Amino acid sequence: MSVVPLKEWGMPIKDLFLGAGPCSAESEEQILEAASGLADAGVSFFRAGIWKPRTHPGSFEGVGEKGLKWLTRVREEFSLPVGTEAANAAHVRACLNHNIDVIWIGARTTPNPFAIQEIADALRGSNMPVLVKNPVSPDLDLWIGAIKRLHNAGLKKIAAIHRGFSSSKKVLYRNTPNWKIPIELKRQLPGLPILCDPSHICGKSELIFSIAQEALDLLYDGLMIEVHPNPAQALSDSGQQITPAEFKSLIRRLTLKSEISDSNEYQTRINELRLEVDSLDEHIIELLGKRMEIAKKMGDLKRRNNVSILQPERWQEIIESRIAMGSEEKLSGEFIFQLFQAIHEEAIQQQEKDLRKEGPPG
Ligand code: PEP
Ligand code: MN
């Protein structure tokens, strides 16, 4: 998939591609005040939602098309490119009519192929930059599918935005980061720029810095952050918005990372450590192979005795004892749980495969 690098999008960019502005456009004054606070912040574009996809009816659902005129004023008065969220073809047409510089697709729209296709068709023939947020559920294929639909419509200025995923577990974050998904997106679509939206991941302004830094540690290309002149009064996402002054200070405090270093000392040491990891990984895989061979022998024994493959009590015992062992090695219970769940599932699958091959005991 060939996409245009962010530096060639014709929008201001120094080291990072930065989008900043309020969650929602609320009034012309609020928009102009936010933009004035961000005019010298080095942002690539000013953001504000006009149509707000809200979970509950009756919440503030955005000011609608009149907000696009306010964004046009921001571009004229502060020379800032402007962007908003589009969720259907009518939104796209309104954005094209008002010469909006960039649109993003929200987390509730990305998973809907019908909506994405009509957005892609409405954008066909334009050179509109499009930022695609991850779907609310941790489904990488839906994210990639949406990106491909836009690319198939001839769009070349495409980037992904990681905004975290809904989780049934009560966690620190409003939307759990689940970094392995954007990391896998980067592996599958290597040229695609990726931004982080720490505001929607965190849900609380005080957590934003650490998530933004983590994104830079993982080599993200930029950030989209919600900035409001008066966060406490915001009509949507009040707890996660920061002021323009806080935004500028946050950006200054971030440390940029690079994939390589020209320090010889670094290069020698990292190579040594990588060799150690390579050799340990080889051992781990060899051990897993041996473990699986034993699991298959057990499967065979169970088959000949008409015993079920799943042994709930034994499984419970394995989980508890492995979590306890892991904690001695300072490994989190969640990690050990997921690891052994994967190992156990593979063992069951292998036992099932043998069972299907051999049929019932005869
Ligand atoms: C937003 O950016 O204001 C927004 C609605 O985000 P998301 O689609 O990530 O929930
Ligand atoms: Mn928001």
Side-chain angles (χ1 to χ4, degrees), residues 30-66:
Q30 170 247 13
I31 283 295
L32 294 175
E33 196 184 344
S36 134
L38 288 166
D40 62 350
V43 299
S44 310
F45 73 98
F46 177 84
R47 66 150 279 159
I50 304 295
W51 303 282
K52 299 302 297 178
R54 305 309 301 281
T55 305
H56 299 289
S59 313
F60 175 63
E61 293 194 311
V63 294
E65 218 169 310
K66 70 176 179 217

Side-chain angles (χ1 to χ4, degrees), residues 262-328:
D262 31 20
S263 144
N264 283 336
E265 194 189 325
Y266 162 82
Q267 211 48 58
T268 311
R269 188 67 187 129
I270 199 82
N271 287 344
E272 285 168 4
L273 294 171
R274 280 180 180 156
L275 282 175
E276 278 185 51
V277 163
D278 287 350
S279 136
L280 284 175
D281 283 353
E282 213 179 300
H283 281 305
I284 291 173
I285 291 169
E286 205 181 300
L287 287 174
L288 284 173
K290 284 194 181 138
R291 192 189 190 284
M292 219 49 83
E293 282 307 313
I294 298 175
K296 280 169 132 177
K297 283 187 194 153
M298 292 197 287
D300 187 44
L301 196 62
K302 287 173 188 170
R303 184 184 65 85
R304 279 187 277 113
N305 291 278
N306 256 333
V307 167
S308 66
I309 288 180
L310 180 65
Q311 298 283 314
E313 258 180 52
R314 165 75 179 152
W315 172 227
Q316 177 67 16
E317 192 187 299
I318 289 184
I319 282 294
E320 283 170 12
S321 62
R322 289 1 174 215
I323 287 178
M325 285 180 218
S327 95
E328 308 245 308

Side-chain angles (χ1 to χ4, degrees), residues 22-24 47 49 51-54 85 104-109 133-134 136 161 163-164 174-175 197 200 224 226 236-237 240:
C23 176
S24 305
R47 66 150 279 159
W51 303 282
K52 299 302 297 178
R54 305 309 301 281
E85 173 175 346
W104 78 83
I105 292 177
R108 290 158 195 79
T109 307
K133 288 207 179 192
N134 66 257
V136 277
I161 303 183
R163 52 76 80 196
R174 177 180 179 194
N175 290 295
D197 169 351
H200 288 87
M224 179 157 94
E226 288 189 338
S236 59
D237 289 352
Q240 69 191 32

Side-chain angles (χ1 to χ4, degrees), residues 241-252:
Q241 303 206 56
I242 56 177
T243 64
E246 286 166 340
F247 173 78
K248 286 183 247 186
S249 139
L250 183 146
I251 298 298
R252 268 196 305 273

Side-chain angles (χ1 to χ4, degrees), residues 20-188:
C23 176
S24 305
E26 299 167 3
S27 68
E28 190 160 19
E29 295 67 46
Q30 170 247 13
I31 283 295
L32 294 175
E33 196 184 344
S36 134
L38 288 166
D40 62 350
V43 299
S44 310
F45 73 98
F46 177 84
R47 66 150 279 159
I50 304 295
W51 303 282
K52 299 302 297 178
R54 305 309 301 281
T55 305
H56 299 289
S59 313
F60 175 63
E61 293 194 311
V63 294
E65 218 169 310
K66 70 176 179 217
L68 294 177
K69 293 207 182 65
W70 308 341
L71 287 178
T72 309
R73 270 195 75 184
V74 168
R75 193 187 31 239
E76 281 161 10
E77 291 178 26
F78 301 99
S79 306
L80 283 175
V82 291
T84 196
E85 173 175 346
N88 58 38
H91 294 167
V92 168
R93 282 192 290 271
C95 289
L96 289 170
N97 288 340
H98 285 81
N99 296 316
I100 294 301
D101 301 282
V102 50
I103 62 173
W104 78 83
I105 292 177
R108 290 158 195 79
T109 307
T110 303
N112 180 347
F114 292 125
I116 296 296
Q117 193 57 52
E118 74 169 57
I119 291 171
D121 290 339
L123 285 168
R124 208 180 281 275
S126 79
N127 196 21
M128 179 70 91
V130 187
L131 312 174
V132 187
K133 288 207 179 192
N134 66 257
V136 277
S137 56
D139 187 328
L140 178 61
D141 282 336
L142 280 172
W143 199 2
I144 291 180
I147 291 163
K148 286 196 174 151
R149 277 179 200 275
L150 294 160
H151 191 255
N152 289 348
L155 298 165
K156 289 279 185 285
K157 293 178 180 169
I158 306 178
I161 303 183
H162 168 218
R163 52 76 80 196
F165 303 88
S166 294
S167 161
S168 54
K169 280 192 211 143
K170 196 91 202 93
V171 283
L172 179 61
Y173 301 109
R174 177 180 179 194
N175 290 295
T176 179
N178 211 341
W179 297 102
K180 65 176 185 294
I181 293 184
I183 289 173
E184 179 57 14
L185 175 74
K186 225 169 152 54
R187 195 183 70 81
Q188 289 195 29

